[in-house]
Amino acid sequence: MKSLLLYLLLVASCLMHACAQKPADSQATPATVKLLQKLALRIDKGIMIGHQDDLVYGHSWNSQGISDVKQSCGDFPAVFGWELGDIEFGNAVSLDAVPFDDIRKNVQWVNSQGGLNTFSWHCNNLLTGSNAWDVSTDQVVKSVLPGGEKNELFVTSLDRLASFFNSLKDEKGEAIPIVFRPWHEHTGSWFWWGQKLCTTDEYVALWKYTVSGLKERGVHNILYAYSSASGFKDTSQYLERYPGDEIADIIGFDEYQNGLKGKENYMKSVASGMSIVMQIAKERKKIAILAETGCESVPDSLWWTETLWPVIKDYPIAYVLMWRNAHDKPNHFYISYPGHPSEPDFKVFAGYERTLFLNDLK
Ligand code: BMA
């Protein structure tokens, strides 16, 4: 009862600021303003369920447009995650081998169906030429900022990124509003923009330079999402490298369960992170999300109803995004597919009134 009351109070406060809510980008397109308001208002209905790369490959297929989610529960996810890594090199396909032209077409389809598109960017290490996980030097962030030896390369990267975002148009030629979540999991030290790889000032400067760079290139169809790794203890730790209310529209974090044994830790960590993020979201009038999650291979056949749902259901978050079902790494998948032992439970989860899939948004 107490938790229901608390939940209703949280929802009421989200709704109250929803109508007044404006994107951080003061020149955001009308569709982007509308998207933010829709996200806030929809929190009342439930939590949108998302999946990374859902339409371009799955556990046992590639490029055939099937959707493991739709095959498992009869509906598509409400949120579709896409990856931009390698776009900075001008490549035609992402680091996960998905052609950017296919991503664009799918983004258009999702938008036409009322779904939400969100982008991650595992930007390569521009100083060493290796990938995002190359943390061999702590000079990368500094090197891409103005005055740094790789600034020119980063400027070109921003040109390429902006031209992709500017190419996301609907059937009327209007820019499709999306969520962009750059420089994520920065409180860990496994990406070149991570905690031990740059100073707070450099990290914040990277965010500001990225956002102002996109705006200067005419990109105004973005809601920006700030998402740390898990493990922060309080609001000040969460906000330590926050780029500012004038930059971020959405706040959240990423957390994964480490195998069957990790259930208790995962549940504790999500609950603690959520309560901290909700407090900040309320105070700063931001939308809260669980930006990335899952338990690789879903080894617990009741994971959906006994782990994920219990830890998120009491928080008014807009969405939760499950990571990708790789077609070329047999155990690297995070959502049900036909025949997986968790499929029956996933169906039950999908049938809950407050788990929102694509058809629920119509
Ligand atoms: C990671 C893994 C990688 C993938 C990367 C970017 O978490 O899934 O296989 O290349 O994300 O999508």
Side-chain angles (χ1 to χ4, degrees), residues 52-53 57 83 85 95-96 120 122 133 184-185 191 256 292 323-324 326 328-329 332 334:
Q52 181 79 359
D53 278 351
Y57 57 81
E83 169 59 30
L95 85 169
D96 294 320
S120 51
H122 290 81
W133 293 264
H184 66 303
E185 296 181 8
F191 296 130
Y256 286 89
E292 266 182 44
W323 203 239
R324 67 199 199 101
D328 51 355
K329 292 185 186 175
H332 194 55
Y334 294 85

Side-chain angles (χ1 to χ4, degrees), residues 129-142:
S130 187
N131 61 31
W133 293 264
D134 177 5
V135 290
S136 57
T137 157
D138 59 6
Q139 295 299 302
V140 194
V141 174
K142 200 171 173 184

